[in-house]
Amino acid sequence: MNGVEVKPSPIEGLGLFATRPFRAGERIRRVNIVREITEDAPLREDLGERIEHCSFPDGKVLLWGFPDRYVNHSCDPNAYEWHEGSDIYIVARRDIAPGEEITFDYNINLTGGTPIPCNCGAERCHGVIFGDFFALPKAIQREYRPLLAHWFVRRYRHLIEALDAEP
Ligand SMILES: C[S@@+](CC[C@H](N)C(=O)[O-])C[C@H]1O[C@@H](n2cnc3c(N)ncnc32)[C@H](O)[C@@H]1O
Ligand SMILES: [Zn+2]
């Protein structure tokens, strides 16, 4: 694989790791999307397909493939998803060294998810993955604002614009 590998993670199960350095802002890879999950083509749990390996852009449900489905969550992530048309890229949020685990904050571009305990180990870990961007502390919502997908900003414009006004 080009610059990444999947192996056991101290955060949870398997994770995605860098095998070469990446610079802040560099595209690490384009996400391998298996397919869209719909009523006519539902998730096949009998075939090992898991909702944990899906993302939810703009009301859709997309099943992620290998190796991208192994990106774990961190409350201080070194990468983020960048949506461009129907493509999703994994982009470095800061410089990443070989051997570092590549992580996202799952709360970005998400609302109304189910909270789960977080084991990311970051100094600023909230102890929980809220499953909801707007449950994050306001300062962190502001920090992530440039990373938000266009569709998310469009859908929740009133809440995102309110970030400017609030202390
Ligand atoms: C996209 S998968 C990530 C790959 C997963 N580690 C695996 O081996 O399949 C998402 C799932 O990983 C687990 N996970 C990811 N980040 C976590 C974290 N910071 N703390 C606890 N569990 C986490 C949760 O079970 C979550 O539903
Ligand atoms: Zn955490």
Side-chain angles (χ1 to χ4, degrees):
M1 246 177 314
N2 233 343
V4 293
E5 66 178 341
V6 171
K7 58 180 190 177
S9 160
I11 298 178
E12 201 276 337
L14 297 174
L16 187 72
F17 291 78
T19 58
R20 69 160 176 89
F22 291 96
R23 306 292 295 178
E26 187 177 345
R27 289 181 182 201
I28 296 171
R29 50 178 282 112
R30 181 161 61 86
V31 173
N32 167 21
I33 294 168
V34 177
R35 65 187 175 87
E36 185 176 350
I37 305 299
T38 61
E39 257 180 46
D40 292 338
L43 202 64
R44 295 286 308 271
E45 283 178 0
D46 54 320
L47 299 181
E49 294 180 353
R50 291 166 47 190
I51 194 72
E52 293 84 11
H53 293 154
C54 292
S55 74
F56 308 92
D58 210 5
K60 295 196 203 97
V61 182
L62 299 181
L63 178 63
W64 285 31
F66 188 89
D68 311 293
R69 60 171 51 166
Y70 292 107
V71 177
N72 278 322
H73 162 95
S74 169
C75 297
D76 191 7
N78 58 13
Y80 62 98
E81 292 171 35
W82 185 247
H83 294 232
E84 209 168 84
S86 56
D87 290 330
I88 302 175
Y89 294 88
I90 300 176
V91 181
R93 184 171 168 251
R94 51 178 176 257
D95 290 350
I96 298 175
E100 249 188 88
E101 180 164 3
I102 295 167
T103 53
F104 291 150
D105 190 319
Y106 289 181
N107 297 298
I108 295 176
N109 300 327
L110 186 65
T111 56
T114 309
I116 58 170
C118 184
N119 184 44
C120 78
E123 214 167 290
R124 74 180 198 187
C125 180
H126 313 297
V128 59
I129 307 173
F130 300 111
D132 195 324
F133 179 77
F134 300 105
L136 288 166
K138 288 282 188 302
I140 293 180
Q141 291 183 41
R142 285 194 196 96
E143 180 185 316
Y144 288 157
R145 193 177 160 166
L147 312 183
L148 292 173
H150 295 305
W151 61 264
F152 190 84
V153 175
R154 214 170 34 242
R155 271 190 178 214
Y156 303 103
R157 186 172 295 281
H158 56 297
L159 290 172
I160 290 163
E161 281 176 356
L163 284 175
D164 290 331
E166 289 169 32

